[in-house]
Amino acid sequence: GTGNIVIRNNNADVETIPVGDARVSIASDSIVTINPANDLPNAGSISVVIAANTFRDLAGNNYAGNAAAPWRFRTRDTEPPVL
């Protein structure tokens, strides 16, 4: 496929990765690894948006994208408190 994977923190773009980039690997028809250039931010509110047609399965079907419902998760706060 063609398209981009956008990683956001608090709705601000952190990184845009083209699907053909070396930071995206496809191990099988169902396992995709995305390796951003930088670590995700501490205590972040992360979302991952994948454009339509970014991936294509073995049958030739294009991925519909997830812009309407991005993957969302939070990263841990690993910074020690300042006293």
Side-chain angles (χ1 to χ4, degrees):
T2 60
N4 292 321
I5 299 164
V6 179
I7 300 171
R8 296 181 173 150
N9 181 31
N10 294 317
N11 293 321
D13 292 0
V14 173
E15 188 168 357
T16 299
I17 307 170
V19 71
D21 191 279
R23 295 172 287 165
V24 179
S25 61
I26 302 171
S28 72
D29 190 37
S30 61
I31 300 173
V32 175
T33 301
I34 304 164
N35 187 12
N38 298 302
D39 291 340
L40 297 175
N42 232 3
S45 180
I46 308 298
S47 59
V48 180
V49 180
I50 301 176
N53 304 321
T54 298
F55 298 108
R56 187 173 313 147
D57 67 16
L58 295 175
N61 301 305
N62 286 322
Y63 177 65
N66 71 343
W71 302 333
R72 297 181 190 279
F73 59 94
R74 294 187 177 274
T75 55
R76 285 181 46 186
D77 180 1
T78 59
E79 297 276 333
V82 177
L83 302 176

